[in-house]
Amino acid sequence: MPERANPVKDGRAARWEGQRERRRAEFVEAAIAAVEEHGPEVLTEQIAAHAGVPRPRLYRHFDGKADLQQAVCRRILERLTDDLTPIWHGGRSPVELITSVVDTIVHWLTEHSALYRYLARHSAGSRPGGTQDRADALTDFTGTLAVRLSKLLRTVLELAGRDVRGTGPLAFGVVAFAEAAIGRWLAKPECLTAEEFGAALVRGIWTLIADFLAERGVDVDPDAPLPQGLAASMLDPAASAE
């Protein structure tokens, strides 16, 4: 006869796993607080001090230092994603949508510059010899933005009966352009305020998008509200880039 599962043992395992995940989340939040205080070069001892535990106990909940770093990166970007979530709903024009996204990201990164530098330092794809099979939180974040933009462009072109090819590469290129520009500005502001830089970046992004659509015979009013259905399509979890 097959061996029956032990409900007492299974219950203990479930409770332990739940407790482990809670403690892991607490340690990640402590690490973020330590980064805010000590900068992106924060030491494990400083993180452990914020968590109120010895260093060895901290690592019981992570598969080494790299696992802790990636968990912190994911949580940092979850916070930024939460701030962006309300923007994706309808009622905004194309320029208002782009401006809201850019302003939110720029101001968030300005207020949390240590967290941004931590992301740049510990992003899996940015480290020499970094393992490419491990999830890269920053790549996931920028990829999500690019997929949403690609879906929006594709829907606009489909409604106009135009060629939809190339929306994916264009969307990922726009996001890469914005990411590089923001990174450069944070490193060397060159006397531009956040408002001035954000406005210039919005103009650059809209120029790329408008030219792409115009080449396909689509003229979009940058100040006209987007249809609610169009915004909803951007939030479709099944949406994928070309």
Side-chain angles (χ1 to χ4, degrees):
M1 294 181 62
E3 184 178 348
R4 293 184 178 181
N6 186 331
V8 175
K9 184 177 181 180
D10 289 347
R12 287 176 180 171
R15 285 194 299 274
W16 164 246
E17 184 61 26
Q19 182 180 0
R20 183 177 183 274
E21 288 303 314
R22 285 192 297 273
R23 290 296 284 163
R24 181 182 168 99
E26 290 170 2
F27 291 153
V28 167
E29 295 295 342
I32 289 175
V35 172
E36 294 267 36
E37 179 178 342
H38 301 288
E41 301 84 6
V42 64
L43 302 175
T44 305
E45 289 80 2
Q46 292 167 327
I47 295 175
H50 267 269
V53 298
R55 175 175 170 169
R57 185 178 298 178
L58 179 69
Y59 279 134
R60 289 180 190 172
H61 299 268
F62 300 91
D63 297 328
K65 189 173 184 179
D67 185 35
L68 171 60
Q69 290 168 346
Q70 285 302 299
V72 171
C73 288
R74 285 192 297 272
R75 180 58 187 142
I76 290 171
L77 289 169
E78 283 175 1
R79 288 184 174 187
L80 177 54
T81 299
D82 289 343
D83 286 351
L84 288 170
T85 296
I87 296 173
W88 304 119
H89 298 282
R92 289 180 171 85
S93 70
V95 166
E96 286 174 337
L97 178 64
I98 297 170
T99 300
S100 295
V101 172
V102 168
D103 285 352
T104 298
I105 292 175
V106 168
H107 284 93
W108 197 96
L109 294 178
T110 301
E111 293 175 3
H112 304 282
S113 60
L115 299 184
Y116 172 77
R117 287 181 283 132
Y118 186 92
L119 281 171
R121 176 182 291 265
H122 297 297
S123 173
S126 68
R127 294 195 306 275
T131 55
Q132 297 302 311
D133 58 337
R134 185 173 63 243
D136 181 349
L138 190 54
T139 297
D140 290 345
F141 174 77
T142 56
T144 297
L145 291 179
V147 167
R148 285 181 172 171
L149 176 57
S150 176
K151 180 67 175 177
L152 176 63
L153 294 174
R154 191 179 186 92
T155 303
V156 169
L157 291 170
E158 286 174 346
L159 290 173
R162 304 295 182 175
D163 185 0
V164 300
R165 293 177 298 172
T167 54
L170 186 279
F172 275 83
V174 168
V175 171
F177 157 68
E179 181 186 5
I182 290 171
R184 167 68 181 183
W185 176 76
L186 286 171
K188 296 184 177 181
E190 298 178 352
C191 299
L192 285 175
T193 65
E195 290 73 19
E196 291 169 336
F197 168 74
L201 182 56
V202 169
R203 288 194 298 272
I205 291 172
W206 177 245
T207 298
L208 291 171
I209 293 173
D211 285 353
F212 177 81
L213 294 174
E215 286 178 357
R216 287 154 176 77
V218 177
D219 184 20
V220 176
D221 183 350
D223 298 314
L226 291 168
Q228 181 66 38
L230 218 55
S233 73
M234 296 176 68
L235 295 167
D236 182 1
S240 59
E242 180 183 299

